[in-house]
Amino acid sequence: MKEKIIQNIKTIRESKNLTEGYVATNMGIGQSAYCKKEKGDSEFTLTELIKLSDILQVSLVRFIDLDIAKIINQQNHDSSTGIGFIENQIINTEGYKLCIEQYKEENIFLKEQLKKFG
């Protein structure tokens, strides 16, 4: 599971054409520390995962389950990295329903957390 999460984080970061250095700076850690985390040599804390989801503009759930759509980088004809896109999106009805339920549960949890601070 840990390897899948790390691979999903890297895939999402690359699909958005963000460097490890950019992400590290925005997380408030050094690039070498971030690199170790993305390689699996060091673990992300929950706080870091929350920051990372903000930086990458994705839900935390996307780190766990990225199977609904395979996100890859598009290479332009001049070999420069282009905009990430979704390729071969296959929607499995049961997987789709499960994902929606996960988002609903996450939404309820986050609303409860907001009430504690409100």
Side-chain angles (χ1 to χ4, degrees), residues 2-66:
K2 175 183 168 184
E3 292 81 18
K4 181 178 179 179
I5 292 171
I6 291 169
Q7 184 56 48
N8 289 347
I9 288 170
K10 183 176 181 178
T11 300
I12 294 167
R13 178 184 59 76
E14 288 176 344
S15 75
K16 294 177 178 288
N17 298 315
L18 300 176
T19 65
E20 289 178 347
Y22 173 85
V23 174
T25 299
N26 284 282
M27 286 181 66
I29 61 175
Q31 182 175 352
S32 62
Y34 179 80
C35 185
K36 286 179 183 178
K37 291 175 185 294
E38 200 171 272
K39 286 183 179 180
D41 296 336
S42 178
E43 293 190 15
F44 287 100
T45 65
L46 180 56
T47 302
E48 289 171 334
L49 287 173
I50 292 168
K51 281 184 186 178
L52 189 56
S53 72
D54 287 341
I55 294 164
L56 298 177
Q57 298 178 338
V58 296
S59 168
L60 284 171
V61 174
R62 299 299 288 167
F63 295 155
I64 298 167
D65 185 10
L66 196 61

Side-chain angles (χ1 to χ4, degrees), residues 67-69 89-99:
D67 291 337
I68 289 178
Q89 183 171 350
I90 299 170
I91 298 180
N92 173 322
T93 305
E94 290 306 312
Y96 182 70
K97 288 178 183 176
L98 177 62
C99 188

